[in-house]
Amino acid sequence: MSNLQKGLVDVAKIILETTKKHSPQLIGYDKNNKCFIMCFPFFNDKDKELMRIKIKQFIIEKNIIKYYLIMETWISVKNKDELDMKNLVLPRYDKNRKEGLVVTEFDKGKNPKSKIIYFHRTESNAIVFGKESEFNEGKSIWNVWGEMD
């Protein structure tokens, strides 16, 4: 994980802890290290698909070569022996889902790198952070270069 990604994780945690939410955002850089920021809230699958198209247009228009996506997510956590691709449940329908804050680095020509920070909300809506994991994503719906290649 890059130093910039580590810094973005720290800032994202502060935002979530303070405001109790983290609206999705993109932070991108062109070849001259000019920074571009895009906030893209979505509330349903239709919005999500529209935002994927807008992000792709934004990246092409600004000639972005590297970008970070920061957003809250739901995760279904299963053991290997519980995985059954035929009966896979989307996290939104999983009553045992976990909440997470994810920061993903997309660098053209490389596999995306993500850090996820699990958290839960107390009865008073305070944010309590838990385990952190790093992983390289193979495919991601948010990787615009994966679609264009």
Side-chain angles (χ1 to χ4, degrees):
M1 177 184 324
S2 69
N3 286 336
L4 179 57
Q5 190 174 13
K6 288 177 188 170
L8 291 173
V9 166
D10 292 342
V11 170
K13 287 171 73 174
I14 291 167
I15 290 169
L16 179 62
E17 199 169 35
T18 305
T19 66
K20 311 302 182 219
K21 63 182 178 184
H22 197 296
S23 295
Q25 59 186 224
L26 175 148
I27 300 170
Y29 296 87
D30 67 10
K31 65 181 178 184
N32 299 315
N33 271 337
K34 186 174 179 183
C35 182
F36 299 92
I37 298 174
M38 175 186 193
C39 295
F40 57 100
F42 54 87
F43 305 100
N44 55 46
D45 287 341
K46 187 176 179 183
D47 288 350
K48 188 176 184 178
E49 186 57 34
L50 180 63
M51 291 319 304
R52 287 180 60 233
I53 293 165
K54 297 261 185 216
I55 286 170
K56 184 176 180 179
Q57 291 169 343
F58 183 76
I59 287 170
I60 292 168
E61 175 187 314
K62 303 294 184 189
N63 294 310
I64 290 173
I65 60 168
K66 184 180 209 170
Y67 63 100
Y68 298 85
L69 289 181
I70 306 160
M71 65 181 73
E72 288 183 58
T73 188
W74 286 327
I75 306 112
S76 286
V77 180
K78 304 287 183 199
N79 296 324
K80 283 184 181 179
D81 51 328
E82 291 180 307
L83 285 179
D84 177 2
M85 297 309 279
K86 292 178 190 164
N87 297 316
L88 201 59
V89 176
L90 292 173
R92 78 177 72 142
Y93 303 116
D94 183 352
K95 64 181 177 170
N96 297 315
R97 68 182 176 231
K98 306 284 184 206
E99 284 189 282
L101 180 64
V102 66
V103 178
T104 303
E105 177 183 89
F106 295 91
D107 197 345
K108 193 170 186 176
K110 298 179 181 175
N111 274 342
K113 293 183 229 166
S114 293
K115 178 156 192 170
I116 188 159
I117 303 96
Y118 293 91
F119 69 89
H120 70 272
R121 299 171 197 274
T122 65
E123 284 186 22
S124 64
N125 204 29
I127 303 293
V128 178
F129 293 106
K131 182 177 97 170
E132 297 185 9
S133 317
E134 291 182 31
F135 58 95
N136 290 333
E137 292 189 36
K139 295 192 177 232
S140 168
I141 65 167
W142 301 106
N143 186 354
V144 299
W145 297 302
E147 292 179 356
M148 291 191 273
D149 293 338

